[in-house]
Amino acid sequence: MRKPGLSWLLVLVPISILFRVLDQDLWVFLTAAGSIIPLAGSIGRATEQLALHAGPRIGGLLNATFGNVTELIVALFLILDDQVPIVKATITGSILGNLLLVLGLSFLVGGLRHHEQVYNAQAAGVHATSLVLAVIGLFMPALFVLTSGEHGFVQREVVSAVVAAVLITMYVLALIFFFITHEHVFRVPRSDERPEWPARKAVIVLVASVAVVAVESELLVGALKPALHTLGISKFFVGLILVPIVGNAAEHGSAVLMAWRNKVDATLEIAIGSSVQVALFVAPVLVFISLGVGHPMDFVFTTFEVAAVGLATLIVALISLDGRSNWLEGAQLIGAYVIMAVSFFFVRGL
Amino acid sequence: MRKPGLSWLLVLVPISILFRVLDQDLWVFLTAAGSIIPLAGSIGRATEQLALHAGPRIGGLLNATFGNVTELIVALFLILDDQVPIVKATITGSILGNLLLVLGLSFLVGGLRHHEQVYNAQAAGVHATSLVLAVIGLFMPALFVLTSGEHGFVQREVVSAVVAAVLITMYVLALIFFFITHEHVFRVPRSDERPEWPARKAVIVLVASVAVVAVESELLVGALKPALHTLGISKFFVGLILVPIVGNAAEHGSAVLMAWRNKVDATLEIAIGSSVQVALFVAPVLVFISLGVGHPMDFVFTTFEVAAVGLATLIVALISLDGRSNWLEGAQLIGAYVIMAVSFFFVRGL
Amino acid sequence: MRKPGLSWLLVLVPISILFRVLDQDLWVFLTAAGSIIPLAGSIGRATEQLALHAGPRIGGLLNATFGNVTELIVALFLILDDQVPIVKATITGSILGNLLLVLGLSFLVGGLRHHEQVYNAQAAGVHATSLVLAVIGLFMPALFVLTSGEHGFVQREVVSAVVAAVLITMYVLALIFFFITHEHVFRVPRSDERPEWPARKAVIVLVASVAVVAVESELLVGALKPALHTLGISKFFVGLILVPIVGNAAEHGSAVLMAWRNKVDATLEIAIGSSVQVALFVAPVLVFISLGVGHPMDFVFTTFEVAAVGLATLIVALISLDGRSNWLEGAQLIGAYVIMAVSFFFVRGL
């Protein structure tokens, strides 16, 4: 199994710009969305090569980081366009997509080839605890807003900022734990795989892809409203399901590939590690960036989003804490994702 | 310890029919309910005998299946009588009764005789994950209805149908996992117990009991409304607590007996396996059957029901994932059941 | 590391009485609160000495019991002053403080000195299950009140009394399990530490401290309303955060000290054991005492409180079930506490 070649989709980049010139919003939206798939794929491929230069664990971190760079860029353009609820939906969707869809497909594909797969249960445990912290960070402000009618804008922002600061602190502490104080516990045996690209080429592809993703994100966000009006699907669904699937295609591919090759530790680092990064780092950072650019985004998510992330965390913790996986666990995660997706599809007003 | 003889209660079958003729609703209700106990017992006994012919694991499946046949029949008559909220309460109550009351009593009785009991933790883990999937399947539609005021009948039905289809798929996949791809993991050492009945007798008793249960269910459902009016207890409580206790008396007995004989794997197969079957198979199938007979039942349960199943799943997962049980764990499950039952007792309006 | 000397704070006892005479409510409040810290400390020290006379496990129980005696006394005076919502906040805050702050600090401090600490996972599991039972006991009545508008005072009291009775029963059963039927599982190796005080001195200090705590509690409660009015902080926050911190200073110190000395089993007995005792014994007992003194307190907590205890239980269960701890887990518990505290700070109306 090789990763499917998606580079031909890069042809959508000039096409989307052409449609922009022709003012065809629906087609701009579709082609820009489509073009992000191979771009995120290039980012993933370049990261994979860089990771091979950097060693397995730093590599896992690189994979997770640049797997989320696409979402971060799209989120920034959405914030600048005052589409804060969609940004939040994108964050939620990215967490759910990684936890349920990417991890589920990986366990399913890996489990069909290998009877049972084994990975570091302690690393899974640290990630699970980080996710529960994220759930607490999502839950308390949402409940605060739901139960106290009298709060003002300032209180909402203060609660959001403190929660965001705590989550970022926890993210940094977890990195210190993984890479410094308890590094020996998580040390992975050296891979015998050799990089195919020189590090220089990998960096260039990475930078170029990120730049083009920024252009396409701008096109995507600009065409979003008219396109959705034409298509008749809700902004909420786009943020929760479509953007994360498009933006995660790269991680998706890498994680499944790693599971197929029976390197489940790398799969978990990509899928769960990426969710943790979105929840404990990307989302809180957006709270502060959004304040900086004058379009403040608080940390108050909808009940639906909080519940979905909470339930996803629960099932992933239950499945991953024993350090073993099989195809059924993969199917169960995908089943959970489908149930959530269909419920989200019909929600309009959130 | 032998299973208590309840066959003398079969005398209630003709008595209930007599009361029907005399139009005594309250007495019809009580005697029909009472007659279901020995009938469910006969189903259980016949199933046990069939199970001994069929081998331990298929036997466990048979036990669970025919332990739920009573609820399925009662549910069908309730649906035909347009009593959908009680059907849902019965489903919830059956899950809670099996997870908390039956499992609790088994652990308590087994733990008082045997200091600590050991069972297959991996099987318990698969069941726990299936239950969390069921909780997600209960949670998301309920939240969908709670949070979006604008949905119509069609959207509600579509969400219900998709969730039901996912859950049935997951049930079938879990069976494939247990019986085909990972069968060796769960293989139980052959029992030395010999069947006392020939297979033919077991089948005849099974079929006859099911037929009489159908008759009594019809009587029970027909007399329900006037009887409850006279007794002054809520339909919700009857569905949640009384019907499941009456209908589960058989499984109840078998599960406790197995724990007493230190065959805790069989206990779990009956108690947790049965809950999983109700949640992932019986309830979703009722969604489709109810559509077929023109009395559509959606998959939207009350907050109370969703919360109760969620909390029961949590405590059972916590208790069973270590593969060991003792009397305190049994008492704790029963305690949880009592807390839920008393809260349900006073709820009227759901 | 020795426990910090706080005895000089005892000077606040006469000062608080002086302010009472001078009718300076704010200063009465502050000095009475301050004086409880060294008194709770004396109780802790005396208990520690008694514990050394009594052996390690009974000692753990003694520690937990007298760690909660301060809260119990404050709660009684609050009930007599008709401040039931604050009593509930104090109960919630005590559970959260022990589970998150005390345990978190202990794991953090212990983990910074010792690379990884090991403790009895089975004891942690029994405590975790007890906590889930408490969560169910908090959840169901709260949901009952939220979802059924038609209930009356009597129904609320009956549900509360039954839930309280179940929880007390479960507490007693857990004691029987720990100390009688499964005592050998939890037997701790004998400590080589010698008591510094004779048992007689320990008892006298204990009794005297409890008496003075009662006086100061009376002063504290009497000055509460006017002082909070002057300070501009909510009663809810005082109950949830301030009273438990002041009242738990003793346990706090002991638990952290034990972790520093690598006696994590003792730490867990103090921190988690104490939370269990508050949830399953102190709170339910207050339901009955409050009925007796004619100021009935039901067992219906706010959504905020139920959610916070539920989430705290989840993260503690996740962290403690593997029987190992490290500094990161400590930091994560503290992070969860900070998120909750900041959310509570702005809640007024509950």
Side-chain angles (χ1 to χ4, degrees):
Chain A
M1 178 167 151
R2 280 197 50 76
K3 227 150 103 184
L6 293 167
S7 351
W8 60 273
L9 278 172
L10 286 172
V11 73
L12 290 174
V13 172
I15 296 182
S16 65
I17 295 171
L18 185 67
F19 279 126
R20 173 72 289 155
V21 174
L22 298 175
D23 245 347
Q24 298 286 327
D25 280 323
L26 178 58
W27 290 103
V28 172
F29 176 74
L30 294 175
T31 50
S35 75
I36 289 177
I37 298 176
L39 289 167
S42 300
I43 294 175
R45 176 92 174 117
T47 313
E48 204 186 305
Q49 292 299 314
L50 265 187
L52 287 172
H53 286 282
R57 185 147 289 274
I58 299 275
L61 186 68
L62 278 176
N63 270 316
T65 309
F66 286 95
N68 291 325
V69 92
T70 315
E71 283 100 321
L72 188 67
I73 296 169
V74 176
L76 280 176
F77 282 100
L78 283 167
I79 284 177
L80 290 172
D81 200 42
D82 261 334
Q83 310 256 31
V84 166
I86 309 192
V87 177
K88 290 182 185 169
T90 307
I91 292 167
T92 312
S94 182
I95 297 172
L96 296 179
N98 276 299
L99 277 187
L100 300 179
L101 194 58
V102 178
L103 194 61
L105 269 169
S106 301
F107 280 178
L108 180 61
V109 167
L112 287 176
R113 186 175 181 200
H114 311 278
H115 185 262
E116 183 172 78
Q117 300 189 292
V118 177
Y119 47 87
N120 188 326
Q122 202 180 341
V126 176
H127 284 320
T129 311
S130 292
L131 285 172
V132 171
L133 256 177
V135 170
I136 294 175
L138 291 170
F139 210 101
M140 298 308 292
L143 202 57
F144 165 69
V145 168
L146 274 182
T147 56
S148 73
E150 325 149 38
H151 66 274
F153 172 77
V154 172
Q155 285 162 28
R156 208 169 155 139
E157 282 300 319
V158 171
V159 170
S160 297
V162 173
V163 170
V166 170
L167 293 181
I168 292 174
T169 308
M170 290 301 140
Y171 185 68
V172 172
L173 290 178
L175 289 185
I176 293 174
F177 182 79
F178 270 121
F179 291 106
I180 302 177
T181 69
H182 287 60
E183 184 265 341
H184 58 284
V185 179
F186 305 104
R187 201 174 295 150
V188 178
R190 207 139 254 297
S191 159
D192 53 350
E193 208 179 342
R194 299 273 111 234
E196 296 168 32
W197 295 0
R200 184 194 175 83
K201 177 179 171 188
V203 171
I204 291 173
V205 171
L206 195 56
V207 171
S209 304
V210 165
V212 185
V213 161
V215 173
E216 295 297 326
S217 297
E218 229 274 279
L219 294 183
L220 185 77
V221 170
L224 188 65
K225 272 190 186 168
L228 293 189
H229 188 75
T230 315
L231 286 172
I233 46 176
S234 78
K235 295 194 290 185
F236 197 61
F237 185 72
V238 168
L240 268 163
I241 306 293
L242 293 191
V243 172
I245 285 187
V246 164
N248 284 326
E251 282 155 282
H252 205 115
S254 303
V256 174
L257 195 65
M258 290 297 171
W260 178 257
R261 290 179 187 162
N262 210 16
K263 298 180 179 175
V264 196
D265 283 301
T267 297
L268 261 86
E269 214 51 59
I270 300 173
I272 309 196
S274 174
S275 303
V276 168
Q277 204 195 31
V278 170
L280 266 64
F281 188 72
V282 175
V285 159
L286 283 172
V287 169
F288 292 114
I289 290 181
S290 68
L291 267 177
V293 299
H295 297 258
M297 175 183 105
D298 59 32
F299 210 71
V300 180
F301 286 70
T302 66
T303 313
F304 226 81
E305 293 173 307
V306 176
V309 174
L311 290 168
T313 297
L314 201 65
I315 195 167
V316 168
L318 190 59
I319 277 179
S320 67
L321 285 179
D322 63 353
R324 294 178 299 182
S325 67
N326 54 56
W327 67 264
L328 179 64
E329 295 185 340
Q332 289 172 323
L333 292 175
I334 296 171
Y337 188 77
V338 173
I339 291 174
M340 291 183 181
V342 69
S343 307
F344 285 141
F345 184 76
F346 288 108
V347 172
R348 308 252 145 187
L350 295 211
Chain B
M1 176 166 151
R2 280 198 49 77
K3 227 147 98 183
L6 293 167
S7 355
W8 61 272
L9 277 172
L10 286 172
V11 74
L12 291 174
V13 172
I15 296 182
S16 65
I17 294 170
L18 185 67
F19 279 126
R20 172 73 290 156
V21 175
L22 300 174
D23 245 345
Q24 298 286 326
D25 280 323
L26 178 59
W27 290 103
V28 172
F29 175 74
L30 294 174
T31 51
S35 75
I36 289 177
I37 298 176
L39 289 167
S42 300
I43 294 175
R45 176 93 172 115
T47 313
E48 204 186 305
Q49 293 298 313
L50 265 187
L52 287 172
H53 286 282
R57 185 146 288 274
I58 298 275
L61 185 69
L62 277 176
N63 270 317
T65 308
F66 286 94
N68 292 324
V69 91
T70 316
E71 283 99 320
L72 187 67
I73 295 168
V74 176
L76 280 176
F77 281 101
L78 283 167
I79 284 176
L80 289 173
D81 200 41
D82 261 333
Q83 310 255 31
V84 166
I86 309 190
V87 176
K88 291 181 184 170
T90 308
I91 292 168
T92 311
S94 181
I95 298 173
L96 295 178
N98 276 299
L99 278 188
L100 300 179
L101 194 58
V102 177
L103 193 61
L105 269 169
S106 302
F107 280 178
L108 180 61
V109 166
L112 288 175
R113 186 176 183 202
H114 311 276
H115 185 262
E116 183 172 79
Q117 300 189 291
V118 178
Y119 46 87
N120 188 325
Q122 201 180 343
V126 176
H127 283 321
T129 311
S130 291
L131 285 172
V132 171
L133 256 178
V135 170
I136 294 175
L138 292 170
F139 210 101
M140 297 309 293
L143 202 57
F144 165 69
V145 168
L146 275 182
T147 55
S148 73
E150 325 148 38
H151 66 275
F153 172 77
V154 173
Q155 285 163 29
R156 208 170 155 139
E157 282 299 318
V158 171
V159 170
S160 296
V162 173
V163 170
V166 170
L167 292 181
I168 293 174
T169 308
M170 290 301 140
Y171 185 68
V172 172
L173 291 178
L175 290 184
I176 294 174
F177 182 80
F178 270 120
F179 291 105
I180 302 178
T181 69
H182 287 60
E183 184 265 342
H184 58 284
V185 179
F186 305 105
R187 202 175 292 151
V188 179
R190 206 140 252 297
S191 158
D192 53 350
E193 209 181 341
R194 299 273 109 234
E196 296 168 30
W197 295 358
R200 185 193 174 85
K201 177 178 172 190
V203 170
I204 291 172
V205 171
L206 194 57
V207 171
S209 304
V210 166
V212 185
V213 161
V215 173
E216 294 297 327
S217 298
E218 229 272 278
L219 295 182
L220 184 77
V221 170
L224 188 64
K225 271 189 185 169
L228 294 189
H229 188 76
T230 314
L231 286 171
I233 46 176
S234 79
K235 294 194 291 185
F236 197 61
F237 184 72
V238 168
L240 268 163
I241 306 294
L242 293 191
V243 171
I245 286 186
V246 163
N248 284 326
E251 281 156 284
H252 206 114
S254 302
V256 175
L257 195 65
M258 291 297 169
W260 178 257
R261 290 178 187 163
N262 209 15
K263 298 181 180 175
V264 196
D265 283 301
T267 297
L268 261 86
E269 214 51 59
I270 300 173
I272 309 195
S274 175
S275 303
V276 168
Q277 204 195 32
V278 171
L280 265 65
F281 187 72
V282 175
V285 158
L286 284 173
V287 169
F288 292 114
I289 290 181
S290 69
L291 267 177
V293 299
H295 297 259
M297 175 184 106
D298 59 31
F299 211 73
V300 180
F301 287 70
T302 66
T303 313
F304 226 80
E305 293 172 308
V306 176
V309 173
L311 290 168
T313 297
L314 201 65
I315 197 168
V316 167
L318 190 59
I319 277 179
S320 69
L321 284 180
D322 64 353
R324 294 178 299 183
S325 67
N326 54 56
W327 67 265
L328 179 64
E329 295 185 340
Q332 288 172 324
L333 293 175
I334 296 170
Y337 187 76
V338 173
I339 291 175
M340 291 184 183
V342 70
S343 307
F344 285 140
F345 184 77
F346 289 108
V347 172
R348 307 253 145 187
L350 295 212
Chain C
M1 177 166 152
R2 279 197 51 76
K3 227 147 102 183
L6 293 167
S7 354
W8 61 271
L9 277 172
L10 286 173
V11 74
L12 291 173
V13 173
I15 296 182
S16 65
I17 295 170
L18 185 67
F19 279 126
R20 172 72 291 155
V21 174
L22 299 175
D23 245 347
Q24 298 286 327
D25 280 322
L26 178 59
W27 291 104
V28 172
F29 175 75
L30 294 175
T31 51
S35 75
I36 289 177
I37 297 176
L39 289 167
S42 300
I43 294 175
R45 176 95 172 115
T47 313
E48 203 186 306
Q49 292 298 313
L50 265 187
L52 287 171
H53 286 281
R57 184 149 289 273
I58 299 276
L61 186 68
L62 278 175
N63 270 317
T65 308
F66 286 95
N68 292 323
V69 91
T70 316
E71 283 99 319
L72 188 67
I73 295 168
V74 177
L76 281 177
F77 281 100
L78 283 168
I79 284 175
L80 290 173
D81 200 41
D82 261 334
Q83 310 256 31
V84 166
I86 310 192
V87 176
K88 290 181 183 169
T90 308
I91 292 168
T92 311
S94 183
I95 298 172
L96 295 179
N98 276 299
L99 278 188
L100 299 179
L101 194 58
V102 177
L103 193 62
L105 269 169
S106 301
F107 280 178
L108 180 62
V109 167
L112 288 175
R113 186 174 182 203
H114 312 276
H115 185 262
E116 183 173 78
Q117 300 189 291
V118 178
Y119 47 87
N120 188 325
Q122 202 179 343
V126 176
H127 284 319
T129 311
S130 291
L131 285 172
V132 171
L133 257 178
V135 170
I136 294 175
L138 291 171
F139 210 101
M140 297 310 291
L143 201 57
F144 165 68
V145 169
L146 274 183
T147 55
S148 74
E150 324 148 39
H151 66 275
F153 173 76
V154 172
Q155 286 162 28
R156 209 171 154 137
E157 282 300 318
V158 171
V159 170
S160 296
V162 173
V163 170
V166 169
L167 293 181
I168 293 174
T169 308
M170 291 299 140
Y171 185 68
V172 173
L173 291 178
L175 289 184
I176 294 174
F177 182 79
F178 270 120
F179 290 105
I180 302 177
T181 69
H182 286 61
E183 184 266 342
H184 58 284
V185 179
F186 305 105
R187 201 174 295 150
V188 178
R190 206 139 255 298
S191 159
D192 53 352
E193 209 179 342
R194 300 273 110 234
E196 295 167 32
W197 295 359
R200 186 195 174 83
K201 177 178 171 190
V203 170
I204 291 173
V205 171
L206 195 56
V207 171
S209 304
V210 166
V212 185
V213 161
V215 173
E216 294 298 326
S217 297
E218 228 273 280
L219 295 182
L220 184 77
V221 170
L224 188 64
K225 271 190 188 170
L228 293 189
H229 189 76
T230 314
L231 286 172
I233 45 176
S234 78
K235 295 194 290 185
F236 197 61
F237 184 73
V238 168
L240 268 163
I241 307 294
L242 292 191
V243 172
I245 286 186
V246 164
N248 284 327
E251 281 156 284
H252 206 115
S254 303
V256 174
L257 195 65
M258 291 298 171
W260 178 258
R261 289 178 188 163
N262 210 16
K263 298 180 179 175
V264 196
D265 283 302
T267 298
L268 260 85
E269 215 50 60
I270 300 174
I272 309 195
S274 175
S275 303
V276 169
Q277 204 195 32
V278 170
L280 265 65
F281 187 72
V282 175
V285 158
L286 283 173
V287 169
F288 293 113
I289 291 181
S290 68
L291 267 178
V293 298
H295 297 259
M297 176 184 104
D298 59 32
F299 211 72
V300 180
F301 286 70
T302 66
T303 313
F304 227 79
E305 293 172 308
V306 176
V309 174
L311 290 169
T313 298
L314 201 64
I315 196 167
V316 167
L318 190 58
I319 277 179
S320 68
L321 284 179
D322 64 353
R324 294 177 299 182
S325 66
N326 54 55
W327 68 264
L328 179 64
E329 295 185 341
Q332 289 172 323
L333 292 175
I334 296 170
Y337 187 77
V338 174
I339 290 175
M340 291 183 182
V342 69
S343 307
F344 285 141
F345 184 77
F346 289 107
V347 172
R348 307 254 144 186
L350 295 211

